Amino acid sequence: MLRTLGNFQPKFSGTIAVEGKELSTYNELQIASKISVVLTEPIASKNLSVYELLALGRQPYTNWLGKLAKKDISIINNSISLLELEPFLDKKCFHLSDGQLQRVLIARALIQDTDIILLDEPTTHLDLYHKVQILKLLKTIAHKTHKVILFTSHEIELAIQLCDKMLILDGKENAFNEPCALIENKKFDSLFPTDTISFDPNTGSFKIKK
Amino acid sequence: MPKQSTYNLYFIALLVVLLICFVINICLGSVNISFFKTFKALFGTATEDASYYIIWEYRLPKAMTTIMVGGGLSLSGLLMQTLFRNPLAGPYVLGISSGASLGAALLIMGTSLFSGAFTLSTFNDITLAIASSLGSFLVLSLVLVVAAKVKDTMALLIIGLMFGSITAAIVSVLSYFSKAEKLQQYIFWSFGSLGNLSWVQLLIVALCTITGIFLSIISIKPLNAFLLGENYAKSLGIGLQKSRYLIIVATGLLAGSITAFAGPIAFIGLAVPHITKQLFHTTDHKVQIPAVLCCGAILMLICDTIAQLPGSVSVLPINAITSIFGAPVVIWLLVRKRKMIF
């Protein structure tokens, strides 16, 4: 679904509206200034330095040579300080850990300066601490910059604690609401087969049945 | 990240080295012409002197061919490495040069075979350039189709090798049936030589090379975006199809036209982009494109100067020298710890 929203795959049916207009009526460059993405696939060249990678986020706005204007540089620097990336700027991407690289990619999406940021499972391959760090970071960014941040995840327990709104894709109801309301409406209870996993509404977590 | 001024300094240094290599290349050769005499021939008035003739009709065109061959092949190597996201891509390794050979072979030997249907019994420089460019486009697009299916770096290289074998096989079938003089013509071509170009042929190569460079320059932004991968490039507003076509046409033109006139030349296209990445510490194509052009030209001039065996009558095949330089680069790429990073 995220791939369709990001205009990578054609949709099966329905409409995707961005600012009240159908997504397919925008051209590629216009979409690039509305939606930025962080994908699961690894970047092609790990030989990019962090700063070069971040600067690529300004591509939709730069001239044909990709020269950075003053405004571009100040936007890049803002995101660098917001995500505290200063120590990594000169490093090549293959020197970074998965968590660090994910932060850099999120910064790149921020630098693209779009109202919507889509992230495809941004927390896979990370340990619990870094997962939480990334998700908290996304929450801060969403509240500070008033952007729409939409991410897919299998980390339901973390999402319940951190997200403003959740969409549960269970193939039946696909409920969309605030996490607390979803718990009250018992939307999580039947998400997994109840004979192996049960949901505890008090703690907002799943328990394994022994 | 180094500053723009550092790059400028590097480029000035490279241009100086290029100029020095160019002069040395012209000064040295089988016939011993002194430095002073060379200068006199270059900048003085026309004389009936033998050295004047040698320099203007042989060494100068050769040195200029060398520069274009080195620069052009290196640039096509850089484009292919970015396009295929593969550090080991290059016009020779992926069989693009063999594609050009096939085009040339079909033209030289094929036309004599099917001359009943075609009245085109003679070929000229332009048709040779077109034929080998078409040959390289053909193999390049085949490799691209396969590359979309095979994600593995090594598999792609082996497939490139196979394409090379297939074209070689077709060429040998062709040569089995063709006349002796046509075969001889082809064999001489396939040795790879920088020295046989007339000023007219040089002009054709120059036109193709300049077009290729121009197409690469207008593709700088997409090329940089491709470093993130195709989906990211798309999310940055790059028209994927159009950019891909531009890059392919540039690669085919460069590798095809150069191979048409200079013969298949090994490893330069693969090795030079890696050398410049070590020198400049950047993957930005705005810096990389001029850098590979300079470094490729320099390396090729050095290889050619060595191949001339200054002072002696014999000339080594240029392919042997470039392989001695280039093959170790491939080995080094495969052996070093952070493998497969381009």
Side-chain angles (χ1 to χ4, degrees), chain A residues 13-33:
Chain A
S13 62
T15 53
I16 304 170
V18 178
E19 292 176 3
K21 263 175 79 185
E22 168 62 35
L23 185 68
S24 52
T25 60
Y26 293 97
N27 69 27
E28 271 151 338
L29 207 58
Q30 285 168 331
I31 293 175
S33 60

Side-chain angles (χ1 to χ4, degrees), chain A residues 47-206:
Chain A
N47 210 359
L48 278 164
S49 79
V50 170
Y51 192 86
E52 284 173 330
L53 196 159
L54 293 177
L56 282 175
R58 294 306 296 168
Q59 270 220 352
Y61 310 100
T62 51
N63 65 0
W64 65 277
L65 264 177
K67 191 170 165 49
L68 298 172
K70 277 210 180 91
K71 186 185 167 221
D72 299 318
I73 293 171
S74 78
I75 288 173
I76 294 171
N77 288 339
N78 280 343
S79 300
I80 289 171
S81 54
L82 183 66
L83 276 79
E84 291 159 10
L85 294 174
E86 290 89 351
F88 311 124
L89 290 182
D90 287 331
K91 282 195 177 170
K92 299 278 186 190
C93 286
F94 58 78
H95 287 305
L96 301 181
S97 70
D98 285 346
Q100 289 166 341
L101 187 59
Q102 196 63 270
R103 263 164 70 196
V104 172
L105 288 172
I106 291 170
R108 190 210 62 83
L110 260 183
I111 285 166
Q112 204 174 327
D113 199 20
T114 54
D115 290 337
I116 304 166
I117 300 178
L118 303 178
L119 301 98
D120 193 5
E121 300 193 25
T123 54
T124 35
H125 309 304
L126 300 180
D127 59 39
L128 186 62
Y129 171 70
H130 287 103
K131 272 177 189 164
V132 174
Q133 202 189 25
I134 294 283
L135 293 181
K136 280 180 82 170
L137 179 73
L138 289 175
K139 188 175 177 118
T140 331
I141 294 169
H143 288 176
K144 262 192 196 169
T145 58
H146 304 292
K147 289 179 191 298
V148 176
I149 295 185
L150 176 65
F151 72 92
T152 55
S153 181
H154 293 287
E155 317 285 345
I156 302 170
E157 293 175 8
L158 295 179
I160 288 174
Q161 294 177 54
L162 282 161
C163 290
D164 296 329
K165 279 190 171 182
M166 286 174 78
L167 170 65
I168 308 172
L169 290 174
D170 54 8
K172 287 170 285 184
E173 289 179 78
N174 301 335
F176 178 63
N177 212 330
E178 286 165 23
C180 291
L182 287 171
I183 295 175
E184 279 167 23
N185 297 339
K186 300 184 189 307
K187 295 293 177 197
F188 294 106
D189 294 7
S190 55
L191 197 56
F192 299 113
T194 41
D195 51 336
T196 44
I197 300 167
S198 69
F199 183 72
D200 179 358
N202 298 319
T203 55
S205 58
F206 291 92

Side-chain angles (χ1 to χ4, degrees), chain B residues 135-158:
Chain B
S136 51
F137 278 130
L138 179 75
V139 175
L140 188 58
S141 23
L142 279 174
V143 173
L144 263 174
V145 169
V146 176
K149 298 220 161 85
V150 191
K151 297 278 177 236
D152 185 22
T153 312
M154 286 304 151
L156 187 66
L157 291 184
I158 294 168

